[in-house]
Amino acid sequence: MRLTKIMHVAIGMLFACCASFTLAAGLRLVDIPATKTIPALKAAIWSPCSKQPESSQVAAFMVSASRNCPLDVDKLPLIVISHGFTGSMYGHHDSAEALADNGFLVVSLNHTGDSGMSMKYPWDMLAFERRPIEIKRVIDYMLGEATEASQIDSSRIGVMGFSRGGFTSLVIAGGEPDFAGSEVRCKIDRPLCRQLEQEARGTRQWVRDDRVKAAAALDPLNAFPNAANLAGIKIPVFLWISEKGGDGVEPDTEAKLHKLLPTLRDYKVVQNAGHFAFLAPCAEALVKEEPEICQDAPGFDRTAFHHDLNASLVAFFRTALTP
């Protein structure tokens, strides 16, 4: 997904009995410290908040949250969000807000390889390889170093990702890619395009994290051609794909995933939707900056779609992460 220009401009689950405590999403921005092998990561932490929501523009996004809202509940489930190609930690802010409003602690990050703020190696296989490593680092940080660490239920952790981020969700859940055997290809002369033709299953040691107990993949890049590539996934999976695809994501290829995933719990082909429909509904500034990712097919209502999508994500994670 292409949000480069935008980012150059910018930068326990609560159940029904506890719903009165969650009126809005809280928002805290953090810099996750570097380790010997992982660079520092910029992230946003979305949390349940007892304050009324505040709508404000962050970069080209309209975010509804209360900044630095005190967190006064414990045993919260944790969801980590992985964005798509050249995306950002704000690209799925509405889903993060909806999850936080319903009692989840949510972390979205900027991946160092191919986010709009950190394009170190977007056209190299490292961009794929490093993504699950960074998700694992975020989980380590949230359970150990974060201010909210003692309030997280470490037995209820989920991941959610879009496009390359959906691929990341499936890898961290136990999937083993086989790019050479898949239908993932590109037509330009880049190192990544040549690597795709040679990157067979077993070429790399892909990072998985057994602490993750549920995974949501939205229009994921499908580098898993056979059931054997996904046999390692033992946790519940949410898979929604677009009917029309786009930006390198082919609907026919994506549709093959649902027959291969052994633990699929929620599957949907979103009619009349293109690939970018999974991004949050666009604010006016975003329409001006990146009209391509904001334009939907005639008759498609992205706002209504996201109402259904976010409600379904909340329901999925609530069920999948129930003790």
Side-chain angles (χ1 to χ4, degrees), residues 6-206:
I6 297 169
M7 296 315 298
H8 286 168
V9 173
I11 52 170
M13 178 185 358
L14 296 182
F15 295 98
C17 65
C18 305
S20 61
F21 290 98
T22 51
L23 302 177
L27 173 61
R28 186 168 76 88
L29 305 182
V30 297
D31 290 323
I32 299 176
T35 69
K36 291 182 179 180
T37 58
I38 305 171
L41 302 170
K42 291 190 175 296
I45 300 176
W46 314 78
S47 61
C49 178
S50 58
K51 296 181 180 180
Q52 292 293 334
E54 304 166 2
S55 183
S56 60
Q57 184 167 328
V58 181
F61 302 91
M62 288 302 297
V63 174
S64 180
S66 296
R67 295 291 293 268
N68 302 314
C69 181
L71 184 61
D72 56 3
V73 289
D74 294 320
K75 297 296 182 182
L76 292 171
L78 174 68
I79 308 296
V80 183
I81 297 179
S82 176
H83 61 70
F85 176 51
T86 74
S88 86
M89 58 188 177
Y90 296 114
H92 304 278
H93 67 87
D94 67 313
S95 297
E97 293 160 11
L99 287 163
D101 290 350
N102 283 275
F104 295 83
L105 193 65
V106 184
V107 185
S108 56
L109 74 151
N110 285 339
H111 285 290
T112 57
D114 57 357
S115 76
M117 286 293 288
S118 182
M119 296 288 286
K120 288 187 176 181
Y121 32 75
W123 290 105
D124 190 279
M125 192 61 67
L126 274 176
F128 289 97
E129 183 181 30
R130 300 293 296 180
R131 280 170 163 268
I133 294 171
E134 292 176 352
I135 296 295
K136 186 176 186 297
R137 169 60 181 139
V138 169
I139 296 173
D140 289 343
Y141 171 81
M142 292 303 300
L143 296 182
E145 305 162 59
T147 303
E148 301 85 355
S150 65
Q151 294 162 284
I152 297 172
D153 185 343
S154 62
S155 69
R156 294 189 289 162
I157 298 175
V159 294
M160 167 190 151
F162 162 68
S163 196
R164 285 191 182 189
F167 161 88
T168 305
S169 292
L170 295 176
V171 171
I172 204 77
E176 187 177 352
D178 177 1
F179 283 93
S182 76
E183 298 176 46
V184 177
R185 292 291 181 269
C186 55
K187 299 179 181 179
I188 56 180
D189 186 19
R190 301 270 193 171
L192 176 62
C193 301
R194 296 187 291 272
Q195 291 170 337
L196 293 176
E197 299 176 0
Q198 304 169 5
E199 193 77 15
R201 183 184 179 193
T203 303
R204 300 173 191 262
Q205 293 296 317
W206 294 92

Side-chain angles (χ1 to χ4, degrees), residues 3 6 60 276-277 279-297 300 302:
L3 285 172
I6 297 169
F276 296 123
L279 294 173
C282 294
E284 183 178 348
L286 187 54
V287 174
K288 293 179 180 179
E289 288 292 335
E290 290 284 353
E292 179 184 357
I293 68 171
C294 295
Q295 185 173 359
D296 296 304
F300 185 85
R302 189 181 298 196

